Amino acid sequence: MSEELAGLTVGLIGAGNISHVHVAAWKALGARVLVHSLEGAEELSEQYGLEVAATLDGCLAEAEFVDIVTPSATHKEITLAAIKAGKNVICEKPLTLTAADSHEVIDAARAAGVRLYPAHVVRFFPEYKAAYDAIQAGRIGEVAVARFYRQASSPAGAGWYRDVAHSGGVIMDLMVHDLDQARWLCGEVTTVYAAQNPPTVDGISPVNVAAHVTLTHESGAISHCRATWGATGTTFQTGFQVAGSTGVLKFTSEGDTGYKEELQNGGAGGDLLIPASTLGESPYLTQLRELAIGLRGGPEPRVLASDGATAVYLAEAARASMESGQPIDMKTFVSSGAVA
């Protein structure tokens, strides 16, 4: 355990798929972990040697800060409860399901004098960070065109993911990573155009679905994002290609990069594939260390609440584009506050 994080007690809210990689990271950092969840807290505690908090209030009272890993539709309510208790917050992506809600929790945190960080883990994957550093250093000149893709075994066959009011659908749940990356690597976004096939019907996402979003950036660069929830057993794959005036950056997880796929809670059930590093430390560990140090007053991390809110804003604009069939001007687009 680093001296910067000595004596840390984290309140983990939620015990689903992503909780496992968060717990592994907190344990590696030497933190004491209290877990509170409506379901699965006892099992998670037994598996990893954690302590169970019977109530949310009890967890908030004892923890130094909270790490929220619950289903997306609950992020706002739990974050606001933690802020009301005066606790700093780490919240899994998406920060909330609408930009209006994201700004509400950001304003609440600011008013309460607490910090709020979204867990956009892709910024902590070494390939994406290397691309960011190369672009910032001018190694490929002015960015012109970027392509990002991400696919996983569809989680929409069961549970809350298929209900767009709870998950936001494939764009908000999966592509939100690459919307954040496109902005991080290529700059602020001026227009958003999106298409999805098959379409969402009556608020229910198809089980197998692909979405495409085209972003125009203030710099003039154009980026393309593709996200796919595939058939059960589809391997997790991700990658990018960023072309600039003097060079190109490329990455694919299909290459021999030392990254593998890890199926949580049984692949046959169609649960999400979560990528795990076999070389170096887990990006989840890198992320949570940097966020925790920031919460203790250290340097600001590479992702802030405003970044989480903007990623949600872009995903919400993509949904509006799909509904209208037209590109969305981000200078005039206003979050409706409607989830689906």
Side-chain angles (χ1 to χ4, degrees), residues 162-248:
R162 198 173 182 197
D163 183 347
V164 173
H166 284 84
S167 71
V170 68
I171 291 178
M172 188 71 76
D173 186 74
L174 186 60
M175 190 192 287
V176 72
H177 286 298
D178 289 324
L179 295 176
D180 178 61
Q181 285 301 304
R183 174 176 169 258
W184 198 40
L185 299 181
C186 305
E188 298 300 335
V189 176
T190 56
T191 62
V192 176
Y193 180 75
Q196 176 185 301
N197 190 44
T200 295
V201 178
D202 295 331
I204 301 299
S205 171
V207 173
N208 302 325
V209 60
H212 298 258
V213 174
T214 300
L215 308 173
T216 304
H217 298 265
E218 285 183 357
S219 65
I222 296 174
S223 57
H224 305 272
C225 299
R226 170 171 58 86
T228 306
W229 276 347
T232 299
T234 298
T235 57
F236 180 92
Q237 293 179 7
T238 184
F240 61 78
Q241 178 173 308
V242 184
S245 55
T246 60
V248 179

Side-chain angles (χ1 to χ4, degrees), residues 1-8 26-32 296:
M1 176 173 58
S2 67
E3 291 183 8
E4 295 164 297
L5 298 178
L8 176 61
W26 291 125
K27 297 286 281 187
L29 293 171
R32 173 188 174 218
R296 280 201 159 182

Side-chain angles (χ1 to χ4, degrees), residues 41-109:
E42 294 287 350
E43 293 83 352
L44 194 72
S45 175
E46 290 175 8
Q47 184 174 352
Y48 294 102
L50 314 179
E51 299 173 50
V52 174
T55 66
L56 177 59
D57 287 344
C59 186
L60 292 173
E62 199 167 348
E64 179 177 327
F65 60 77
V66 297
D67 178 13
I68 300 170
V69 293
T70 55
S72 302
T74 66
H75 288 180
K76 176 186 175 182
E77 178 186 358
I78 298 171
T79 298
L80 288 175
I83 291 169
K84 186 176 180 180
K87 299 296 180 179
N88 292 328
V89 177
I90 294 171
C91 183
E92 253 302 334
K93 63 81 201 164
L95 182 57
T96 66
L97 287 178
T98 71
D101 284 350
S102 290
H103 288 296
E104 182 180 337
V105 297
I106 289 170
D107 289 345

Side-chain angles (χ1 to χ4, degrees), residues 151-156 228-236 263 267 269-273:
Q151 70 174 43
S153 178
S154 177
T228 306
W229 276 347
T232 299
T234 298
T235 57
F236 180 92
L263 201 56
D271 283 329
L272 277 174
L273 285 157

